[in-house]
Amino acid sequence: MESLNPVRDTRKSYICLVSGLEITSTGPASIQKASGESAKLDCQFTLASEDTGPLDIEWSLRAPDNQREDTVVLLYSGDRAYEDYYPPMKGRVHFNSPDPKNGDASISLTGLTSSDSGTYQCKVKKAPGIRSKKILLTVMVKPSRPRCYSEGTTQEGKDIVMRCVSKEGTNPLQYVWEKTSGNKLLPPTATLDTAAGTIIVKNASASASGSYRCTASNLVGTDECVLQLNVTPPPNTAGIVAGSIIAVLLFLLIIAIILFCFCRARHRKKYEKEICNEIREDVPPPKSRVSTARSFTVGSQRSSLGSMSPSNLHEYVKPQYDKIPSTEEYDRPPSHAPLPPPTASRMAGPNLSRMGGIPVMIPAQNRDGSIV
C-alpha cells in the first residue's frame, strides 16, 4: 500500500502540469425552455501558461446513440467564429462574447423549436489542454387550447364523462377540472383523472349541472377551456311507446283507407263497363220512319198474300185506291193501320194506271190484322 502512494501523487502532478485548461462554468447542467423562447448555454474557461497551442472551441449536438456522429453546431478556430456552420440553426445561434478567446465560450439559441432539444457539448482545446462540458436542453411546447366536451347522454341517473384534450403540448401534461358555478364544488360522485383529462360523474343528478373549467398545463405554459353541462331528466318511456303505437295504427289506417278507395273505384268502373255492354246489345239500330212503315206495310201484305191459296182468292176483292195514303197512315204501326172495307169495288184500270199503281189482290183483314 505504501508503494502505491508515490505513484498516485506523481500521476496527479502530471495531470496538473499537462492540463492547465479548466471549465469554470457553474450554470445548470439541464435547461428547460418553451418553444419560441431563447436559451443561453454557459461555457466559461481559464487557460494556463502551459497551454500554448492554438485555441479551438467547438459546440456540437450529441447523437442519441453511439452509432451516429455528433453534429457540429458552432465553431471557433484560428481567431474566427463560424456561426453559420449548421444550416438548421443558421441565424439562430451565436457566441455571447465577441472574442471567445478571452475565456467565454457561451452561446445563445433563439427561436427554439422542439427539434432543438438534445444534449449540447462545449469542447475547448488549447494544446496540450482539452476540456468539455455537457448541457441538456429540453425545448417544450406549451399546451394548446384544450377542447372540452361530454360523452354519451347527460340524463339524470346516468354516468356522465367529461373530457379535456390538448392537441399540442410536451408531456407531462396535467389537466385540472373545477366547477365555476353554483357552490363551485365538484359533484361528490365525480372521479378526476389528471393525466387523461377526464372527469366521470356517476349517477348524475340535476345538481351536477353548471359551468366547468379545465386547465391544461406543463412546465412551460397553461391554457384552459369551459364546458357548460346540463343534466336533463330521463325521458317519458311510456309516452314514447304510446306515441309510437298510435303512429303505427294511424299509418295502417291510412293504408287501409287507400286500399278500400282503390278497390271500390275499380269495382265501380268494372260495373259501369258491364252495364254499358248490356245496353249496347239490347237496343236495335235506328231505322228511317217512312221507309220502315212502307217496308212493313208492303211486307205484311206480301206475307198475307203468300199465305193464301188459289182457292181462297175469290173471296177477296181488290180495294179501290181513289186516293193516295197520307204520311200519317204510313207512320202508323201495322196493328193500328185502317183496314179496307169487307167488300171493295173494283178500281177502273185506266184510273189505276193513271195513278201509277199496280192492281194487286189484297185479302180482307180484321182490325187485329188476321185474314178473314
Side-chain angles (χ1 to χ4, degrees), residues 6-266:
V7 177
R8 184 174 58 186
D9 294 341
T10 304
R11 186 177 299 172
K12 287 184 178 179
S13 299
Y14 176 78
I15 294 174
C16 293
L17 179 62
V18 174
S19 179
L21 177 63
E22 293 291 341
I23 301 294
T24 60
S25 297
T26 58
S30 178
I31 301 175
Q32 293 178 341
K33 291 290 183 177
S35 60
E37 295 182 349
S38 299
K40 180 183 178 181
L41 306 182
D42 289 334
C43 184
Q44 285 86 23
F45 63 93
T46 58
L47 298 174
S49 58
E50 294 84 2
D51 302 319
T52 58
L55 178 65
D56 290 330
I57 301 172
E58 179 184 283
W59 277 94
S60 61
L61 180 61
R62 298 296 300 270
D65 53 57
N66 295 329
Q67 303 297 326
R68 301 180 184 179
E69 295 183 357
D70 298 344
T71 302
V72 178
V73 175
L74 194 63
L75 185 64
Y76 180 86
S77 180
D79 297 335
R80 179 183 175 184
Y82 297 90
E83 296 184 346
D84 297 336
Y85 196 84
Y86 183 50
M89 291 186 179
K90 183 178 180 180
R92 297 192 299 117
V93 60
H94 58 273
F95 285 103
N96 289 343
S97 174
D99 192 2
K101 66 181 179 180
N102 293 328
D104 187 7
S106 302
I107 62 173
S108 294
L109 292 173
T110 60
L112 293 174
T113 63
S114 58
S115 61
D116 296 335
S117 298
T119 300
Y120 291 82
Q121 177 178 268
C122 172
K123 182 184 291 186
V124 181
K125 297 184 294 183
K126 189 171 177 63
I130 300 175
R131 291 289 183 271
S132 63
K133 178 186 178 181
K134 297 177 182 179
I135 301 175
L136 176 62
L137 174 64
T138 303
V139 181
M140 305 182 69
V141 179
K142 69 176 184 178
S144 60
R145 182 175 295 276
R147 175 174 172 257
C148 296
Y149 62 96
S150 61
E151 288 184 347
T153 61
T154 57
Q155 298 176 1
E156 292 183 358
K158 301 291 184 178
D159 294 343
I160 300 176
V161 179
M162 294 181 286
R163 293 190 179 276
C164 179
V165 179
S166 289
K167 291 185 177 180
E168 297 180 355
T170 303
N171 292 323
L173 287 175
Q174 284 192 340
Y175 300 92
V176 177
W177 282 93
E178 58 182 335
K179 191 176 182 182
T180 58
S181 63
N183 56 9
K184 297 185 179 181
L185 295 176
L186 293 176
T189 59
T191 303
L192 178 64
D193 188 344
T194 58
T198 60
I199 179 172
I200 302 175
V201 182
K202 294 184 177 295
N203 193 18
S205 61
S207 61
S209 299
S211 180
Y212 291 80
R213 179 173 58 199
C214 172
T215 303
S217 62
N218 60 7
L219 296 176
V220 293
T222 61
D223 212 332
E224 61 186 28
C225 61
V226 177
L227 173 65
Q228 187 68 34
L229 180 64
N230 184 23
V231 181
T232 58
N236 185 4
T237 307
I240 295 176
V241 173
S244 301
I245 294 175
I246 293 174
V248 171
L249 292 177
L250 288 176
F251 180 73
L252 294 176
L253 179 61
I254 292 173
I255 293 178
I257 292 174
I258 294 173
L259 292 176
F260 174 76
C261 295
F262 176 76
C263 294
R264 186 173 181 181
R266 186 175 180 182

Side-chain angles (χ1 to χ4, degrees), residues 185-362:
L185 295 176
L186 293 176
T189 59
T191 303
L192 178 64
D193 188 344
T194 58
T198 60
I199 179 172
I200 302 175
V201 182
K202 294 184 177 295
N203 193 18
S205 61
S207 61
S209 299
S211 180
Y212 291 80
R213 179 173 58 199
C214 172
T215 303
S217 62
N218 60 7
L219 296 176
V220 293
T222 61
D223 212 332
E224 61 186 28
C225 61
V226 177
L227 173 65
Q228 187 68 34
L229 180 64
N230 184 23
V231 181
T232 58
N236 185 4
T237 307
I240 295 176
V241 173
S244 301
I245 294 175
I246 293 174
V248 171
L249 292 177
L250 288 176
F251 180 73
L252 294 176
L253 179 61
I254 292 173
I255 293 178
I257 292 174
I258 294 173
L259 292 176
F260 174 76
C261 295
F262 176 76
C263 294
R264 186 173 181 181
R266 186 175 180 182
H267 180 71
R268 180 181 298 175
K269 185 177 181 181
K270 182 177 180 181
Y271 177 76
E272 291 178 353
K273 186 176 181 181
E274 291 178 354
I275 294 298
C276 182
N277 292 336
E278 291 178 359
I279 293 175
R280 290 177 180 176
E281 292 176 357
D282 295 342
V283 176
K287 296 182 179 180
S288 175
R289 297 174 63 185
V290 177
S291 61
T292 303
R294 291 179 178 176
S295 61
F296 181 80
T297 303
V298 175
S300 60
Q301 292 176 355
R302 290 180 178 177
S303 61
S304 299
L305 291 174
S307 61
M308 294 176 59
S309 60
S311 60
N312 295 330
L313 290 178
H314 65 278
E315 297 180 1
Y316 297 93
V317 182
K318 295 181 182 179
Q320 295 181 356
Y321 292 92
D322 54 355
K323 64 176 180 178
I324 300 174
S326 64
T327 305
E328 294 179 357
E329 293 177 351
Y330 279 111
D331 293 341
R332 291 179 184 177
S335 59
H336 300 285
L339 298 174
T343 56
S345 60
R346 296 177 179 271
M347 181 176 290
N351 294 333
L352 183 59
S353 301
R354 194 169 43 246
M355 293 175 62
I358 301 172
V360 179
M361 294 296 293
I362 305 265

